[in-house]
Amino acid sequence: SQQGEEDPQALSIQEGENATMNCSYKTSINNLQWYRQNSGRGLVHLILIRSNEREKHSGRLRVTLDTSKKSSSLLITASRAADTASYFCATDLPRGTYKYIFGTGTRLKVLA
Amino acid sequence: GAVVSQHPSRVICKSGTSVKIECRSLDFQATTMFWYRQFPKQSLMLMATSNEGSKATYEQGVEKDKFLINHASLTLSTLTVTSAHPEDSSFYICSARAPGLTEKLFFGSGTQLSVL
């Protein structure tokens, strides 16, 4: 299936450290998005990167995309306890279906 | 920003009953909405695509008679879990596109369904 694989599955770091999570996918994409989910809640959009972009920044977030390797990474710098959540990458299916398939997710825990 | 409201947030029902979950776009018109199912500590699994004014498109393996989707207006899609059984217990989330504005999805806050 198209579903992306993310690693690590779980990550525990100290406040102030950087957190890096990776996403790999299987087929060609138009864009890739990262979402955040707090426990028992809906998802919140973080950042979108298009297939012709290699890197994008938003505040403490940095996303890279390597289409040749079909992979993306999300870096959260200077993490805070409030960053504790699950993070998912989402890739669009081709042919304008507007459907997004979500990766397996990384559960991040930031310890104060 | 675009807001999607999902209701109820939590529902407990007896086996055999039907449960309706509503997903509303509050400040934009959503021609397309998506329904997902999520098990604890797992990813979102796309169940179906809800299109305003037409039949929903279901993903492979999803029973359309079990999970009825209606998208009667540009701001409302409903998911009805018919004759619910304990194995239908899950977290259900909807999302919507804001066409012409952005490619990102706006999510409801989810519904935790528990079938006894």
Side-chain angles (χ1 to χ4, degrees), chain A residues 64-111:
Chain A
T64 62
L65 179 65
D66 187 334
T67 53
S68 66
K69 294 181 180 178
K70 292 186 170 61
S71 68
S72 174
S73 68
L74 171 67
L75 168 67
I76 304 174
T77 60
S79 63
R80 305 166 183 169
D83 294 328
T84 295
S86 291
Y87 293 82
F88 296 91
C89 65
T91 51
D92 62 330
L93 288 174
R95 297 186 218 141
T97 61
Y98 303 112
K99 294 196 294 188
Y100 283 83
I101 302 300
F102 286 79
T104 51
T106 294
R107 294 191 307 279
L108 173 66
K109 189 169 187 177
V110 181
L111 304 171

Short mmCIF file of all heavy atoms in Angstrom, two decimals, chain A residues 64-111:
data_model
loop_
_atom_site.label_atom_id
_atom_site.label_comp_id
_atom_site.label_asym_id
_atom_site.label_seq_id
_atom_site.Cartn_x
_atom_site.Cartn_y
_atom_site.Cartn_z
N THR A 64 12.51 18.38 5.40
CA THR A 64 13.25 18.11 4.18
C THR A 64 12.53 17.04 3.39
O THR A 64 11.77 16.23 3.94
CB THR A 64 14.68 17.64 4.47
OG1 THR A 64 14.62 16.40 5.20
CG2 THR A 64 15.45 18.68 5.27
N LEU A 65 12.75 17.07 2.10
CA LEU A 65 12.14 16.08 1.21
C LEU A 65 13.18 15.61 0.20
O LEU A 65 13.82 16.43 -0.45
CB LEU A 65 10.93 16.68 0.48
CG LEU A 65 10.21 15.77 -0.50
CD1 LEU A 65 9.57 14.59 0.23
CD2 LEU A 65 9.16 16.55 -1.28
N ASP A 66 13.32 14.32 0.08
CA ASP A 66 14.21 13.72 -0.91
C ASP A 66 13.36 12.78 -1.76
O ASP A 66 13.09 11.65 -1.38
CB ASP A 66 15.34 12.95 -0.21
CG ASP A 66 16.39 12.45 -1.19
OD1 ASP A 66 16.06 12.24 -2.38
OD2 ASP A 66 17.54 12.24 -0.78
N THR A 67 12.97 13.28 -2.90
CA THR A 67 12.07 12.48 -3.75
C THR A 67 12.79 11.30 -4.38
O THR A 67 12.15 10.30 -4.71
CB THR A 67 11.43 13.34 -4.85
OG1 THR A 67 12.47 14.03 -5.56
CG2 THR A 67 10.46 14.35 -4.26
N SER A 68 14.09 11.38 -4.52
CA SER A 68 14.83 10.25 -5.10
C SER A 68 14.84 9.07 -4.14
O SER A 68 14.83 7.91 -4.55
CB SER A 68 16.26 10.65 -5.45
OG SER A 68 17.00 10.96 -4.28
N LYS A 69 14.85 9.38 -2.85
CA LYS A 69 14.82 8.32 -1.83
C LYS A 69 13.41 8.10 -1.30
O LYS A 69 13.20 7.23 -0.44
CB LYS A 69 15.74 8.69 -0.68
CG LYS A 69 17.22 8.74 -1.05
CD LYS A 69 18.08 9.08 0.16
CE LYS A 69 19.55 9.11 -0.24
NZ LYS A 69 20.41 9.48 0.92
N LYS A 70 12.46 8.90 -1.77
CA LYS A 70 11.08 8.83 -1.28
C LYS A 70 11.06 8.91 0.24
O LYS A 70 10.53 8.03 0.94
CB LYS A 70 10.39 7.56 -1.77
CG LYS A 70 10.14 7.54 -3.28
CD LYS A 70 9.32 6.33 -3.71
CE LYS A 70 8.87 6.44 -5.14
NZ LYS A 70 9.99 6.52 -6.10
N SER A 71 11.66 9.98 0.74
CA SER A 71 11.70 10.13 2.19
C SER A 71 11.63 11.60 2.57
O SER A 71 11.99 12.49 1.79
CB SER A 71 12.97 9.48 2.75
OG SER A 71 14.10 10.22 2.34
N SER A 72 11.19 11.83 3.78
CA SER A 72 11.11 13.18 4.34
C SER A 72 11.49 13.11 5.80
O SER A 72 11.35 12.06 6.45
CB SER A 72 9.68 13.71 4.19
OG SER A 72 9.53 14.96 4.85
N SER A 73 11.96 14.24 6.32
CA SER A 73 12.25 14.29 7.75
C SER A 73 11.66 15.56 8.33
O SER A 73 11.55 16.58 7.66
CB SER A 73 13.75 14.22 8.01
OG SER A 73 14.37 15.41 7.55
N LEU A 74 11.27 15.45 9.58
CA LEU A 74 10.76 16.60 10.35
C LEU A 74 11.68 16.80 11.53
O LEU A 74 11.91 15.88 12.32
CB LEU A 74 9.33 16.33 10.83
CG LEU A 74 8.76 17.36 11.82
CD1 LEU A 74 8.56 18.71 11.15
CD2 LEU A 74 7.42 16.87 12.40
N LEU A 75 12.21 17.99 11.64
CA LEU A 75 13.08 18.35 12.75
C LEU A 75 12.37 19.41 13.59
O LEU A 75 11.91 20.42 13.06
CB LEU A 75 14.41 18.90 12.24
CG LEU A 75 15.31 19.59 13.27
CD1 LEU A 75 15.83 18.58 14.29
CD2 LEU A 75 16.46 20.30 12.59
N ILE A 76 12.25 19.13 14.88
CA ILE A 76 11.73 20.11 15.82
C ILE A 76 12.90 20.56 16.68
O ILE A 76 13.51 19.74 17.39
CB ILE A 76 10.61 19.53 16.72
CG1 ILE A 76 9.48 18.95 15.86
CG2 ILE A 76 10.06 20.59 17.67
CD1 ILE A 76 8.42 18.22 16.67
N THR A 77 13.23 21.82 16.60
CA THR A 77 14.37 22.31 17.37
C THR A 77 13.92 22.84 18.73
O THR A 77 12.77 23.26 18.90
CB THR A 77 15.10 23.42 16.61
OG1 THR A 77 14.18 24.50 16.39
CG2 THR A 77 15.62 22.93 15.28
N ALA A 78 14.83 22.80 19.68
CA ALA A 78 14.58 23.34 21.02
C ALA A 78 13.22 22.88 21.53
O ALA A 78 12.34 23.70 21.84
CB ALA A 78 14.66 24.85 21.00
N SER A 79 13.05 21.58 21.63
CA SER A 79 11.74 21.03 21.96
C SER A 79 11.25 21.47 23.34
O SER A 79 12.04 21.79 24.24
CB SER A 79 11.79 19.50 21.90
OG SER A 79 12.68 19.02 22.88
N ARG A 80 9.93 21.47 23.45
CA ARG A 80 9.26 21.85 24.69
C ARG A 80 8.34 20.72 25.12
O ARG A 80 7.92 19.91 24.30
CB ARG A 80 8.43 23.12 24.46
CG ARG A 80 9.21 24.29 23.90
CD ARG A 80 8.31 25.36 23.39
NE ARG A 80 9.05 26.47 22.78
CZ ARG A 80 8.50 27.43 22.06
NH1 ARG A 80 7.18 27.43 21.84
NH2 ARG A 80 9.24 28.40 21.55
N ALA A 81 7.98 20.72 26.37
CA ALA A 81 7.07 19.69 26.87
C ALA A 81 5.76 19.69 26.09
O ALA A 81 5.15 18.64 25.84
CB ALA A 81 6.81 19.88 28.36
N ALA A 82 5.35 20.87 25.65
CA ALA A 82 4.10 21.00 24.89
C ALA A 82 4.18 20.38 23.50
O ALA A 82 3.14 20.22 22.84
CB ALA A 82 3.72 22.48 24.76
N ASP A 83 5.38 20.03 23.06
CA ASP A 83 5.52 19.36 21.76
C ASP A 83 5.18 17.88 21.85
O ASP A 83 5.13 17.18 20.84
CB ASP A 83 6.96 19.50 21.23
CG ASP A 83 7.32 20.94 20.91
OD1 ASP A 83 6.41 21.70 20.50
OD2 ASP A 83 8.50 21.30 21.07
N THR A 84 4.98 17.39 23.06
CA THR A 84 4.62 15.98 23.25
C THR A 84 3.33 15.68 22.50
O THR A 84 2.29 16.29 22.76
CB THR A 84 4.44 15.65 24.74
OG1 THR A 84 5.70 15.80 25.40
CG2 THR A 84 3.92 14.24 24.94
N ALA A 85 3.41 14.75 21.55
CA ALA A 85 2.28 14.43 20.67
C ALA A 85 2.72 13.33 19.71
O ALA A 85 3.87 12.90 19.74
CB ALA A 85 1.85 15.67 19.87
N SER A 86 1.80 12.90 18.86
CA SER A 86 2.15 12.00 17.77
C SER A 86 2.24 12.82 16.50
O SER A 86 1.46 13.75 16.28
CB SER A 86 1.09 10.91 17.60
OG SER A 86 1.11 10.01 18.70
N TYR A 87 3.21 12.49 15.68
CA TYR A 87 3.45 13.23 14.44
C TYR A 87 3.31 12.27 13.27
O TYR A 87 3.88 11.17 13.27
CB TYR A 87 4.84 13.87 14.46
CG TYR A 87 4.95 14.96 15.50
CD1 TYR A 87 5.20 14.65 16.83
CD2 TYR A 87 4.75 16.30 15.15
CE1 TYR A 87 5.26 15.64 17.80
CE2 TYR A 87 4.82 17.30 16.11
CZ TYR A 87 5.07 16.97 17.44
OH TYR A 87 5.12 17.95 18.39
N PHE A 88 2.55 12.70 12.27
CA PHE A 88 2.29 11.87 11.10
C PHE A 88 2.67 12.60 9.83
O PHE A 88 2.40 13.80 9.69
CB PHE A 88 0.80 11.52 11.01
CG PHE A 88 0.28 10.69 12.14
CD1 PHE A 88 -0.27 11.27 13.27
CD2 PHE A 88 0.31 9.30 12.07
CE1 PHE A 88 -0.75 10.50 14.32
CE2 PHE A 88 -0.17 8.52 13.10
CZ PHE A 88 -0.70 9.12 14.23
N CYS A 89 3.25 11.87 8.90
CA CYS A 89 3.40 12.41 7.56
C CYS A 89 2.21 11.93 6.73
O CYS A 89 1.61 10.90 7.03
CB CYS A 89 4.72 11.97 6.91
SG CYS A 89 4.86 10.19 6.58
N ALA A 90 1.87 12.70 5.73
CA ALA A 90 0.75 12.34 4.86
C ALA A 90 1.14 12.63 3.42
O ALA A 90 1.65 13.72 3.12
CB ALA A 90 -0.50 13.14 5.23
N THR A 91 0.92 11.67 2.56
CA THR A 91 1.25 11.84 1.16
C THR A 91 -0.01 11.76 0.32
O THR A 91 -0.92 11.00 0.62
CB THR A 91 2.24 10.75 0.69
OG1 THR A 91 1.74 9.46 1.06
CG2 THR A 91 3.60 10.95 1.32
N ASP A 92 -0.02 12.57 -0.73
CA ASP A 92 -1.22 12.59 -1.58
C ASP A 92 -1.12 11.51 -2.64
O ASP A 92 -0.05 11.21 -3.15
CB ASP A 92 -1.39 13.96 -2.24
CG ASP A 92 -0.24 14.31 -3.17
OD1 ASP A 92 0.91 13.87 -2.91
OD2 ASP A 92 -0.47 15.03 -4.16
N LEU A 93 -2.23 10.92 -2.92
CA LEU A 93 -2.29 9.97 -4.02
C LEU A 93 -2.35 10.76 -5.30
O LEU A 93 -2.91 11.84 -5.36
CB LEU A 93 -3.51 9.06 -3.86
CG LEU A 93 -3.41 8.03 -2.74
CD1 LEU A 93 -4.72 7.28 -2.59
CD2 LEU A 93 -2.28 7.06 -3.01
N PRO A 94 -1.82 10.22 -6.40
CA PRO A 94 -1.82 10.97 -7.67
C PRO A 94 -3.20 11.07 -8.30
O PRO A 94 -4.18 10.65 -7.73
CB PRO A 94 -0.89 10.13 -8.55
CG PRO A 94 -0.93 8.77 -7.98
CD PRO A 94 -1.16 8.95 -6.50
N ARG A 95 -3.27 11.65 -9.45
CA ARG A 95 -4.48 11.79 -10.25
C ARG A 95 -5.53 12.67 -9.60
O ARG A 95 -6.70 12.48 -9.83
CB ARG A 95 -5.08 10.42 -10.57
CG ARG A 95 -4.17 9.56 -11.42
CD ARG A 95 -4.86 8.29 -11.85
NE ARG A 95 -3.92 7.19 -11.82
CZ ARG A 95 -4.24 5.97 -11.42
NH1 ARG A 95 -5.45 5.70 -11.01
NH2 ARG A 95 -3.34 5.02 -11.42
N GLY A 96 -5.12 13.63 -8.79
CA GLY A 96 -6.06 14.61 -8.26
C GLY A 96 -7.18 14.06 -7.42
O GLY A 96 -8.27 14.61 -7.38
N THR A 97 -6.90 12.97 -6.71
CA THR A 97 -7.95 12.40 -5.86
C THR A 97 -8.14 13.21 -4.59
O THR A 97 -9.15 13.08 -3.92
CB THR A 97 -7.60 10.95 -5.46
OG1 THR A 97 -6.37 10.96 -4.73
CG2 THR A 97 -7.45 10.08 -6.69
N TYR A 98 -7.12 14.00 -4.26
CA TYR A 98 -7.12 14.78 -3.02
C TYR A 98 -7.16 13.91 -1.78
O TYR A 98 -7.45 14.38 -0.70
CB TYR A 98 -8.28 15.78 -2.99
CG TYR A 98 -8.27 16.71 -4.18
CD1 TYR A 98 -9.25 16.64 -5.15
CD2 TYR A 98 -7.24 17.63 -4.34
CE1 TYR A 98 -9.22 17.47 -6.25
CE2 TYR A 98 -7.21 18.48 -5.44
CZ TYR A 98 -8.19 18.39 -6.39
OH TYR A 98 -8.18 19.21 -7.48
N LYS A 99 -6.89 12.63 -1.94
CA LYS A 99 -6.83 11.76 -0.78
C LYS A 99 -5.40 11.75 -0.25
O LYS A 99 -4.44 11.77 -1.02
CB LYS A 99 -7.23 10.33 -1.16
CG LYS A 99 -8.68 10.21 -1.57
CD LYS A 99 -9.14 8.77 -1.57
CE LYS A 99 -8.46 7.94 -2.62
NZ LYS A 99 -9.07 6.58 -2.71
N TYR A 100 -5.28 11.71 1.04
CA TYR A 100 -3.98 11.64 1.68
C TYR A 100 -3.88 10.37 2.50
O TYR A 100 -4.83 9.99 3.19
CB TYR A 100 -3.74 12.86 2.57
CG TYR A 100 -3.37 14.08 1.77
CD1 TYR A 100 -4.36 14.87 1.18
CD2 TYR A 100 -2.04 14.41 1.55
CE1 TYR A 100 -4.03 15.96 0.41
CE2 TYR A 100 -1.70 15.52 0.78
CZ TYR A 100 -2.70 16.28 0.22
OH TYR A 100 -2.38 17.36 -0.55
N ILE A 101 -2.74 9.73 2.39
CA ILE A 101 -2.49 8.52 3.14
C ILE A 101 -1.49 8.86 4.24
O ILE A 101 -0.44 9.46 3.97
CB ILE A 101 -1.92 7.41 2.23
CG1 ILE A 101 -2.90 7.14 1.09
CG2 ILE A 101 -1.66 6.15 3.04
CD1 ILE A 101 -4.27 6.67 1.53
N PHE A 102 -1.80 8.44 5.44
CA PHE A 102 -0.99 8.81 6.58
C PHE A 102 0.02 7.73 6.93
O PHE A 102 -0.25 6.53 6.81
CB PHE A 102 -1.89 9.10 7.79
CG PHE A 102 -2.59 10.41 7.66
CD1 PHE A 102 -3.72 10.53 6.86
CD2 PHE A 102 -2.09 11.53 8.29
CE1 PHE A 102 -4.35 11.75 6.70
CE2 PHE A 102 -2.72 12.77 8.14
CZ PHE A 102 -3.84 12.88 7.35
N GLY A 103 1.18 8.19 7.38
CA GLY A 103 2.22 7.28 7.82
C GLY A 103 1.87 6.67 9.16
O GLY A 103 0.84 6.97 9.76
N THR A 104 2.74 5.82 9.61
CA THR A 104 2.51 5.07 10.85
C THR A 104 2.67 5.92 12.10
O THR A 104 2.20 5.55 13.16
CB THR A 104 3.45 3.86 10.92
OG1 THR A 104 4.79 4.31 10.67
CG2 THR A 104 3.08 2.82 9.87
N GLY A 105 3.32 7.06 11.97
CA GLY A 105 3.40 7.99 13.09
C GLY A 105 4.59 7.78 14.02
O GLY A 105 5.10 6.68 14.17
N THR A 106 5.01 8.88 14.60
CA THR A 106 6.06 8.87 15.64
C THR A 106 5.47 9.49 16.89
O THR A 106 4.97 10.61 16.85
CB THR A 106 7.30 9.66 15.20
OG1 THR A 106 7.93 9.02 14.10
CG2 THR A 106 8.29 9.78 16.36
N ARG A 107 5.54 8.75 17.99
CA ARG A 107 5.05 9.28 19.28
C ARG A 107 6.22 9.95 19.99
O ARG A 107 7.17 9.29 20.39
CB ARG A 107 4.45 8.16 20.12
CG ARG A 107 3.19 7.57 19.52
CD ARG A 107 2.47 6.64 20.52
NE ARG A 107 3.34 5.62 21.07
CZ ARG A 107 3.65 4.49 20.44
NH1 ARG A 107 3.18 4.26 19.24
NH2 ARG A 107 4.44 3.61 21.01
N LEU A 108 6.13 11.25 20.09
CA LEU A 108 7.20 12.04 20.71
C LEU A 108 6.81 12.40 22.14
O LEU A 108 5.72 12.89 22.40
CB LEU A 108 7.46 13.32 19.91
CG LEU A 108 8.43 14.32 20.53
CD1 LEU A 108 9.83 13.72 20.58
CD2 LEU A 108 8.42 15.63 19.75
N LYS A 109 7.75 12.18 23.04
CA LYS A 109 7.56 12.58 24.43
C LYS A 109 8.71 13.47 24.82
O LYS A 109 9.88 13.07 24.71
CB LYS A 109 7.51 11.35 25.34
CG LYS A 109 7.11 11.67 26.77
CD LYS A 109 6.82 10.39 27.54
CE LYS A 109 6.25 10.69 28.91
NZ LYS A 109 5.91 9.45 29.65
N VAL A 110 8.41 14.69 25.25
CA VAL A 110 9.43 15.63 25.65
C VAL A 110 9.34 15.78 27.16
O VAL A 110 8.31 16.20 27.70
CB VAL A 110 9.25 17.00 24.97
CG1 VAL A 110 10.35 17.95 25.41
CG2 VAL A 110 9.23 16.84 23.46
N LEU A 111 10.42 15.43 27.81
CA LEU A 111 10.45 15.43 29.28
C LEU A 111 10.93 16.78 29.80
O LEU A 111 11.95 17.30 29.34
CB LEU A 111 11.37 14.31 29.76
CG LEU A 111 11.01 12.91 29.24
CD1 LEU A 111 12.10 11.92 29.58
CD2 LEU A 111 9.67 12.48 29.83
#
